[in-house]
């Protein structure tokens, strides 16, 4: 029998013999509503000897915690408070006691994303029309050690609210990214070990943008970062280069700087700019932020190479302006400053995301690998999209010394490969 079938058969046999009955046990525990501590939302119940558990009336919500707690007592500070727990029963008026347990902070975080839509509304938890429009959340990012339970509780609360008719969404989140941890010498940061990495020290020396860029460039977001292997120096040097290039462009006139340089070099810079836009956009969508930064570094090098070739003016202004837009999500402060200095209006963070000019992404040339019987013997550069006959002829000329027999088959992958099969 399969595991499922065997389990059902055993239950039937046990029940037939009168030894017991089958029962479903759910993994969702009540850990969130039984905390004997003084932080977290109070359980809004009042316990009366005559009426039993009575909900706190809506008019008396929220239940506020006292601020004069004694944390030196044994057990719950709320239970030990001399007055807070004593209250009249809302039903019969007799002396009663507040529930001194508190809800875990997971209870708050299981619906806080709904509250984001109305943070200033003190009368309602959320606007229903906005909930129906924006839910479910597009992207959830969290540490794996936290997200497992949080996702469980958030799904439970979301489905309970759905069943009660308060929201329409069936699920709270559409996509999950489990981010990695920052570790030091192979050890994860924890309460017992302390914060092995102190971001404040890096911030003080290099600034927030370098700190952010260093972390995102170190690895994909789902991987751990061992800070012992990471240095902010390289990121700081690159951002300094971006700053210097932008300031030099401002000094040259910014958007009014005169155009100069060979036309082919100008075209090459414009192509590099729009290639960076296309590639960075794809990497951001794929959450490959380290690769996106590498694409921006390539664009920075292209600006420097163009300037050495005498390029100035519009092409440089465009490259640096687009670079600020691409870099803004990662380094918000330097890009905001340089965006304004380069003569642009408003905030860099209020702009539309740049789009690549597709006409500038067309390759004029293609480099093809030439193989003989599957082994790489050379490479050729020909016009992109060249017909098969042209590519094969160029390939055979490139590797003529390796064609010692009869070419019995020619395999052509456009703009990528020519494989010549030789016998004899």
């Amino acid at each position: 029998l399969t595991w499922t079938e065997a389990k059902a058969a055993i239950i039937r046999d046990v029940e037939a013999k009168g030894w017991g009955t089958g029962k479903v046990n759910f993994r969702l525990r009540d850990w969130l509503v039984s905390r004997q501590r003084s932080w977290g939302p109070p359980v809004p119940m009042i316990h009366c000897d005559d009426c039993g558990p009575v909900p706190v009336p809506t008019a008396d919500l929220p239940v506020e915690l006292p601020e004069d707690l004694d944390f030196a007592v044994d057990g719950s500070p709320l239970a030990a408070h001399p007055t807070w727990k004593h209250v009249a029963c809302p039903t019969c008026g007799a002396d009663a006691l507040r529930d001194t347990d508190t809800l875990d902070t997971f209870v708050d975080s299981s619906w806080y994303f709904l509250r984001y839509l109305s943070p200033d509304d003190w009368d309602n938890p959320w606007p229903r029309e906005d909930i129906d429009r924006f839910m479910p959340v597009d992207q959830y990012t969290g540490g794996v050690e936290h997200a497992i339970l949080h996702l469980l509780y958030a799904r439970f609360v979301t489905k309970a609210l759905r069943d009660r008719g308060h929201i329409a969404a069936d699920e709270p989140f559409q996509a999950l990214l489990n981010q990695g941890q920052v570790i030091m010498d192979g050890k994860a940061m924890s309460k017992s070990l302390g914060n092995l990495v102190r971001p404040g020290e890096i911030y003080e020396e290099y600034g927030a943008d370098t700190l952010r860029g260093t972390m995102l460039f170190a690895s994909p977001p789902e991987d751990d970062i061992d800070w012992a292997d990471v240095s902010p120096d390289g990121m700081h040097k690159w951002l300094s280069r971006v700053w210097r290039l932008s300031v030099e462009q401002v000094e040259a006139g910014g958007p009014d700087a005169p155009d100069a340089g060979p036309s082919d070099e100008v075209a090459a810079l414009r192509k590099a700019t729009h290639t960076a836009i296309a590639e960075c956009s794809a990497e951001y969508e794929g959450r490959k932020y380290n690769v996106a930064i590498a694409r921006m570094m390539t664009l920075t090098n292209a600006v420097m190479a163009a300037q050495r070739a005498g390029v100035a003016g519009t092409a440089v202004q465009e490259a640096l302006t687009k670079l600020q837009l691409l870099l803004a999500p990662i380094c918000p402060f330097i890009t905001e400053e340089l965006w304004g200095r380069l003569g642009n209006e408003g905030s860099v963070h209020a702009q539309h995301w740049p789009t690549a000019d597709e006409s500038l992404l067309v390759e004029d040339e293609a480099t093809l690998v030439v193989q003989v019987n599957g082994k790489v013997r050379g490479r050729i550069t020909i016009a992109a999209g060249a017909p098969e006959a042209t590519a094969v002829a160029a390939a055979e000329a490139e590797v003529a010394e390796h064609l010692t027999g009869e070419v019995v088959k020619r395999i052509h992958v456009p703009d990528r490969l020519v494989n010549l099969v030789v016998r004899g």
Side-chain angles (χ1 to χ4, degrees):
L1 299 176
T2 66
W3 176 81
T4 304
E5 294 169 338
K7 182 174 67 172
I10 291 170
I11 292 173
R12 286 195 302 269
D13 190 51
V14 168
E15 289 179 336
K17 289 180 170 61
W19 295 346
T21 57
K23 182 181 178 181
V24 176
N25 290 318
F26 293 94
R27 291 178 176 268
L28 192 63
R29 309 300 185 188
D30 65 349
W31 298 325
L32 304 190
V33 291
S34 59
R35 298 304 176 103
Q36 291 78 46
R37 59 190 186 191
S38 57
W39 63 90
V43 177
M45 299 297 292
I46 295 172
H47 299 277
C48 176
D49 290 339
D50 297 327
C51 305
V54 180
V56 173
T58 301
D60 295 337
L61 295 175
V63 177
E64 295 185 0
L65 296 173
E67 297 184 2
D68 56 341
L69 291 169
D70 182 2
F71 295 99
V73 300
D74 293 333
S76 169
L78 282 177
H81 194 278
T83 61
W84 180 81
K85 64 182 179 181
H86 297 284
V87 66
C89 173
T91 301
C92 68
D95 292 341
L97 297 175
R98 291 189 186 279
D99 198 312
T100 57
D101 281 359
T102 58
L103 304 174
D104 187 78
T105 49
F106 262 122
V107 174
D108 283 339
S109 63
S110 292
W111 70 279
Y112 73 98
F113 45 88
L114 304 175
R115 184 62 175 163
Y116 279 165
L117 298 176
S118 56
D120 299 321
D121 188 345
W122 292 95
D123 299 320
N124 304 285
W126 53 73
R128 179 58 190 267
E129 63 278 8
D130 288 344
I131 288 292
D132 291 343
R133 175 186 176 191
F134 288 108
M135 286 293 295
V137 175
D138 293 319
Q139 177 65 46
Y140 179 106
T141 302
V144 63
E145 73 289 343
H146 172 84
I148 294 173
L149 286 178
H150 182 250
L151 288 173
L152 178 67
Y153 300 136
R155 293 189 72 214
F156 175 83
V157 170
T158 297
K159 291 179 182 297
L161 292 171
R162 176 207 61 192
D163 291 349
R164 299 286 292 177
H166 297 303
I167 63 176
D170 180 60
E171 294 284 353
F173 316 113
Q174 289 185 303
L176 168 67
L177 171 64
N178 281 324
Q179 64 189 19
Q181 292 181 308
V182 178
I183 60 179
M184 187 69 169
D185 293 322
K187 297 179 181 179
M189 290 188 288
S190 66
K191 293 178 181 178
S192 59
L193 294 176
N195 288 327
L196 303 175
V197 178
R198 301 186 181 278
E201 297 175 358
I202 302 171
Y203 165 78
E204 290 295 336
E205 182 174 358
Y206 294 99
D209 282 337
T210 294
L211 176 59
R212 289 165 58 95
T214 299
M215 293 189 68
L216 290 174
F217 189 54
S219 71
E222 62 270 19
D223 292 349
D224 292 341
I225 301 174
D226 194 327
W227 203 256
D229 301 328
V230 173
S231 171
D233 290 335
M235 179 59 57
H236 189 68
K237 289 178 181 178
W238 173 56
L239 291 178
S240 298
R241 192 174 301 122
V242 173
W243 178 275
R244 185 180 68 253
L245 291 172
S246 300
V247 170
E248 290 173 352
Q249 175 66 10
V250 172
E251 293 173 348
D256 299 321
D259 292 337
S263 59
D264 58 334
E265 296 292 346
V266 172
L269 178 56
R270 294 209 66 221
K271 183 174 183 177
T273 300
H274 287 264
T275 298
I277 293 172
E279 293 179 342
C280 284
S281 299
E283 304 304 350
Y284 270 120
E285 286 292 334
R287 297 190 291 272
K288 298 178 180 178
Y289 309 120
N290 56 327
V291 182
I293 294 174
R295 306 300 188 208
M296 289 181 252
M297 290 178 173
T298 299
L299 176 57
T300 306
N301 293 335
V303 173
M304 297 174 63
Q307 288 181 326
R308 287 194 296 269
V311 177
T314 304
V316 175
Q317 176 75 14
E318 179 190 35
L320 294 173
T321 298
K322 300 302 185 186
L323 178 58
Q324 309 310 320
L325 291 170
L326 297 174
L327 182 57
I330 294 174
C331 300
F333 302 106
I334 184 176
T335 52
E336 180 77 345
E337 178 69 22
L338 293 177
W339 177 260
R341 290 198 182 200
L342 285 167
N344 301 293
E345 298 293 332
S347 169
V348 68
H349 306 295
Q351 309 305 312
H352 289 291
W353 189 252
T355 56
D357 185 340
E358 296 292 335
S359 67
L360 297 177
L361 304 182
V362 178
E363 294 291 341
D364 298 326
E365 294 181 333
T367 299
L368 283 69
V369 174
V370 181
Q371 296 178 339
V372 177
N373 292 340
K375 293 184 179 181
V376 177
R377 296 300 188 183
R379 286 176 172 78
I380 57 172
T381 299
I382 60 176
E388 179 177 354
T390 302
V392 169
E396 291 181 348
E398 174 69 18
V399 297
E401 68 273 19
H402 298 286
L403 303 180
T404 57
E406 178 187 2
V407 179
V408 297
K409 191 173 184 179
R410 297 167 176 83
I411 302 171
H412 173 235
V413 180
D415 293 340
R416 296 186 62 182
L417 171 75
V418 173
N419 183 25
L420 304 172
V421 181
V422 179
R423 289 179 183 173

